Amino acid sequence: MLRLACRLGYVNSQTKLHLMQRTRSFLSFVLFSFPFFLAAQTRHTVSGTVRDKKSGETLIGASIVLLGQSRLNVLSNAYGFYSVNATPGDYKMVVSFTGYQPDTVAVSLVRDVVVPVELTAEGAQLQEVVISANRNSNNVTKPLMGVQKLSINEIKDIPVLFGEKDILKTIQLLPGVQSGGDGNSGFYVRGGSIDQNLILLDEATVYNPSHLLGFFSTFNSDALKDVTLYKGAIPAEYGGRLASVLDVKMNDGNSRDYHASGGIGLISSRLNVEGPVGGDDKGSFIVSARRTYADVFLKLSKDTNTNRSSLYFYDINAKANYKLGDNDRIYLSGYFGKDNLGLGNTFGIDYGNSTATFRWNHIFNSRLFSNTSLIYSKYNYDIKINSGNNDIGITSYIRDYHFKEDLQYYANASNKINFGIDVINHTTSPGVISATESSSYNPITVSDKHALETAAYFSHDVSVSEKLNMNYGLRAGLFTVMGPGKFYTYDSSGNAIDTASYGSGSIVKNYFNLEPRFSVSYKVTDVSSFKVAYTRTTQNLHLLSNSTSSNPTDVWIPSSNNVKPEIADQVSLGYYRNFEANKYEFSSEVYYRDMQNQIDYKNGAQLIANENVESQLIFGKGRSYGLELFFKKKVGKFNGWVSYTLSRTERQFTGVNNDSWYPANQDRTHNLSVVAIYKVNKKWTLSADFVYYSGNAVTWPSGKYEVNGQVVFLYTERNAYRMPSYNRLDVGATLQGKKTKKFDSNWNFSIYNLYGRENPYSISFQQDPGDASKTQAIQYALFRWVPSVTYNFKF
Amino acid sequence: MKTRKRIRAAFAVTAALGLAVLFYSCKKTVTLKLNNAAAEIVIQGEVTDAPGPYTVTINQTVGFYKDNTYPPISGAVVKISDGQGETDSLTETATPGTYATHILQGRSGNTYTLSVFAQNKQYTAVSTMPALVPLDSVTFETTSGFGQHQTNAVVNFQDPPGIKNYYQFMEYINGQLFNKEFFIFEDRLSDGRYISNTLYMDSTYLQSGQDLEVKMYCIDENVYNYFFQLNQSGGGGGFNTASPANPVSNISNGALGYFSAHTTQSISVGVPNQ
């Protein structure tokens, strides 16, 4: 292995120093050790925080290069912090970030120095986007595979349904990510199901990322800073879901000036207020809120039941941070959202997520950065049914208390180590039914389920040579199923054959899993590279969902004595190539993912308020493989991307389709997205996106018969049919208003589904109402064309 | 001040346009390429606590785009035994594929075994007739919303505590079966309660002045599960179940259909004005 590493690295003539460094870094890789010994030779560190000059917002993922020294550029972390060390001397440090003008700072390393960096946004210059020579080629160099990063700036011009810019809709335009259907914020990544995506908002898990049955996502773009989707090589610091991680980070708020901004749309409005707390970048706050008012139109109805109906959601994001000293900063962030759907006073459901994150950044020294987080997350729903003398309520929730400690050690320009621990206490209440005396239902409480999820991880970013970079890591996870509660054992037909009672705090079952993560990139030329990655992920919380759309009443259950952890192994291989001084990016990746202990339901499973819900489940295997192509033009008046995915996702369950492999519901052969944005002049920006995908696998009847005088359908095979293919073109235009120092505004116009194609949302089968001797298939389409207008302002 | 004015103007414009946004959902008939599965046998049989004869019908499935007529299977050997030593051999009636009992009288508590020999295959099914739970009354519930008034029947009865009960309801208007879904109810979440259960329908609604007959059956668990699964097997995506399948039948050897021994009682009532 040593020989291999040397051969790969030894291409050009190397200085003795380089060779030494490489050997050392390689040694550290072999020894797993935190390479403190690397500091034996005198080195000094330059560290600091990268910020936006105007707002003081920290910049995540800015690239820092010490010219003539760094082989690998260092990226600023989630809090804008960077650290680079080198032997004593005078250096030029270049700091660059997409959408900003790069800055060059002279650094004299005679001792450790702290250099805060402030970059100016290119757009703020009110001139055409300049193609800077320094545009980075991180996508080629870094051993990151299957990672997509979106800035809110990038998505703001892309036309979307109802004109509400939405990161969950936008990531569905990326390779390897499939939409859950028209207007659905649920998404599938590389054959994983919707619940196999870990969705984080400032580190807190968001269990239900959708509003209004999926037409909106829980993420208010005004409040967001950075969105990263990991679908291939998932870093060891993330765990808990099989398919992907969507890491969403909120804005910190403007630490220099008070500002308000907002938008007024056809069915929703937003308001955002931010400003400094204390002077000198000591702190800042931001509060963003929005509410839909589609239900206002219901109020216009004369029908009392209709005008008493509700259909709205609101959400609030709030965040504040404060600097305690040179080396300490605390952050408090929270999200609260609520959906309210009701039909007169007969039926109502409200549901929502709430999260809170307290964080403490501490810089131990210029090379060791620490973040400690205390996180709370809850998703709950509350149903009220009032019919005749039946008054019943159904509630359910999942709640996490989460402690997290992450440390980042910047050993030198070629070595960085991340390590930490993670402890989550999960409680789920699958269902509580409350009923009045006169109700037809009994009050029932399905017992709470308790679990403790602990993990420790480390990962090492190492630059073995100019050309060979890698990241390897390990995550060790322990999932403990806890009492109190009764735990049943079931026979094959789902009858409880044994019951064991456990007291509070006692351990029912432990599942220990090691999750190795590995990725490597080999630079063939300055602008092209090959990458390979292997990732094992496990999942111990499973969403019980029996429909193809996201449903707010789907229930999460933890692993138990009956439900084993889901395990996935993924291998991916990629070729990356940039063109014309990194103006164009091209990437292609192939992947294969194997999934164990996948969950499905028996026919006619009873999932509601069922103490024995685990007896309704069946377990099987899954596999998924595909090819993803991505071509992106990042800069210029005309920019955008083309994304294409060819994929196959299959499952195998005992008793389904004669135990053979069959296409999963989310199996979709072709998936094409084209996004184009054209900046016509200072006033107008035009945009369009086009989506084509082949139909999902569905189960349709292959015959019919009659039961009790009613036609019923004969099914011969699961998922043997295909929905018709889907295509849609959306267009948008943004008109920039007159910009003054005090006021900035724009109008955003868009049309969703411009040519009005009736894309099938669902197809159902019934007796022909006009001719009782026939049956027919009925196709439902949701949106023919949806125009929208939004007015955005900032002052 | 100017800023606020501008925002207010923008609000007025967008609110006006909001009314114009009537995003609509559309529905149309489509012709799909559906396979014609090989014909499969469908057996339906009943024994009730009302006087006989009871019938068993045997026919075959047809392709989706064929007419709703199902070829009968004649010449089958059909027997029902009552577990008390009595076995009734059914004979085919004037309607091909329909077989009738001669001497059998259904009673609660008895376990009935159906045996069918047809097309060189043997099928058997077992069903136990539960005790009768009296149906008290049939009332009506009218809900309105989105411009529609819907009247649905409500069945009222006392569920006996401590035992599992499964119910099925049928609606008839002028002797014609009216309901377009299978009405079933179990006491899993309602044991021992006084039940008022609305028989909701999505497609057709009761009209005032109609004479409605509601039948209530007490059915066994397997039969309940059969109809529960049938109700879930709409399929087709969207908010429907993702994976519709044939319900698990209580008849052996892969036959479709069911065999149910159940009690029966009925109440007739006029649909009132809303």
Side-chain angles (χ1 to χ4, degrees), chain A residues 242-451:
Chain A
L242 284 200
S244 77
V245 177
L246 183 73
D247 191 358
V248 181
K249 296 191 173 80
M250 277 164 57
N251 270 326
D252 295 324
N254 195 313
S255 59
R256 314 248 151 114
D257 280 308
Y258 293 97
H259 282 288
S261 61
I264 298 161
L266 295 181
I267 56 172
S268 71
S269 280
R270 302 169 274 119
L271 187 66
N272 180 59
V273 180
E274 57 191 310
V277 175
D280 302 330
D281 284 333
K282 263 203 169 327
S284 61
F285 76 93
I286 182 168
V287 179
S288 304
R290 58 179 177 161
R291 188 195 191 281
T292 58
Y293 34 76
D295 55 326
V296 170
F297 304 120
L298 299 178
K299 300 269 184 286
L300 302 173
S301 167
K302 285 199 178 79
D303 185 295
T304 53
N305 217 18
T306 306
N307 65 29
R308 262 187 275 155
S309 295
S310 54
L311 175 72
Y312 67 86
F313 74 80
Y314 63 88
D315 55 25
I316 301 163
N317 290 75
K319 189 169 179 177
N321 71 86
Y322 196 74
K323 186 176 171 181
L324 297 179
D326 280 345
N327 295 322
D328 297 277
R329 189 179 281 272
I330 52 170
Y331 295 80
L332 190 61
S333 51
Y335 168 85
F336 184 82
K338 189 98 340 227
D339 275 63
N340 197 314
L341 280 70
L343 182 64
N345 47 12
T346 54
F347 175 82
I349 174 168
D350 62 66
Y351 59 95
N353 298 282
S354 35
T355 72
T357 311
F358 169 78
R359 288 189 279 198
W360 169 41
N361 283 180
H362 178 66
I363 299 167
F364 280 99
N365 58 50
S366 56
R367 294 186 193 179
L368 186 62
F369 180 92
S370 138
N371 176 58
T372 311
S373 302
L374 291 170
I375 306 156
Y376 167 86
S377 173
K378 184 177 179 180
Y379 171 73
N380 74 311
Y381 71 78
D382 192 344
I383 299 174
K384 286 196 168 54
I385 301 167
N386 184 352
S387 111
N389 55 351
N390 279 335
D391 255 327
I392 58 172
I394 305 168
T395 61
S396 170
Y397 69 80
I398 178 164
R399 186 189 60 210
D400 289 354
Y401 294 110
H402 187 173
F403 169 80
K404 201 161 173 265
E405 173 63 47
D406 299 297
L407 292 143
Q408 292 164 5
Y409 181 68
Y410 298 81
N412 55 34
S414 314
N415 286 278
K416 187 188 158 207
I417 288 166
N418 289 3
F419 56 105
I421 54 166
D422 222 342
V423 183
I424 313 175
N425 181 332
H426 299 287
T427 306
T428 61
S429 165
V432 174
I433 297 181
S434 55
T436 53
E437 274 300 303
S438 66
S439 165
S440 299
Y441 294 87
N442 291 310
I444 286 171
T445 301
V446 180
S447 35
D448 289 359
K449 295 187 175 4
H450 303 270

Side-chain angles (χ1 to χ4, degrees), chain A residues 134-149:
Chain A
N134 225 305
R135 214 173 311 109
N136 70 58
S137 57
N138 281 328
N139 62 314
V140 168
T141 315
K142 296 275 178 185
L144 287 168
M145 271 199 85
V147 178
Q148 295 282 356
K149 225 171 137 63

Side-chain angles (χ1 to χ4, degrees), chain A residues 10-29:
Chain A
Y10 199 83
V11 177
N12 300 321
S13 64
Q14 305 273 331
T15 63
K16 212 172 175 182
L17 180 71
H18 271 120
L19 196 65
M20 270 169 64
Q21 275 178 341
R22 197 172 63 240
T23 317
R24 276 182 188 156
S25 42
F26 185 70
L27 266 178
S28 69
F29 153 55

Side-chain angles (χ1 to χ4, degrees), chain A residues 587-607:
Chain A
S587 69
S588 63
E589 293 191 17
V590 289
Y591 67 91
Y592 181 89
R593 181 186 274 153
D594 175 82
M595 292 166 271
Q596 302 170 46
N597 304 328
Q598 299 299 286
I599 299 174
D600 209 329
Y601 320 97
K602 292 180 178 169
N603 283 343
Q606 298 263 18
L607 301 179

Side-chain angles (χ1 to χ4, degrees), chain A residues 627-702:
Chain A
L627 163 74
E628 298 169 1
L629 303 175
F630 189 55
F631 184 76
K632 186 176 185 180
K633 183 167 185 287
K634 292 198 291 187
V635 290
K637 280 178 106 169
F638 181 75
N639 62 72
W641 69 79
V642 179
S643 144
Y644 171 76
T645 310
L646 175 71
S647 67
R648 188 138 185 83
T649 303
E650 295 173 310
R651 305 188 114 200
Q652 187 187 39
F653 279 76
T654 307
V656 178
N657 288 2
N658 300 319
D659 303 350
S660 54
W661 287 94
Y662 65 92
N665 296 336
Q666 65 268 33
D667 180 49
R668 208 176 264 171
T669 312
H670 304 284
N671 220 327
L672 173 75
S673 309
V674 182
V675 174
I677 297 164
Y678 181 64
K679 214 169 151 55
V680 182
N681 51 38
K682 280 181 196 173
K683 285 186 92 169
W684 284 97
T685 303
L686 303 179
S687 62
D689 67 64
F690 172 77
V691 177
Y692 169 89
Y693 53 78
S694 35
N696 282 25
V698 285
T699 308
W700 282 343
S702 297

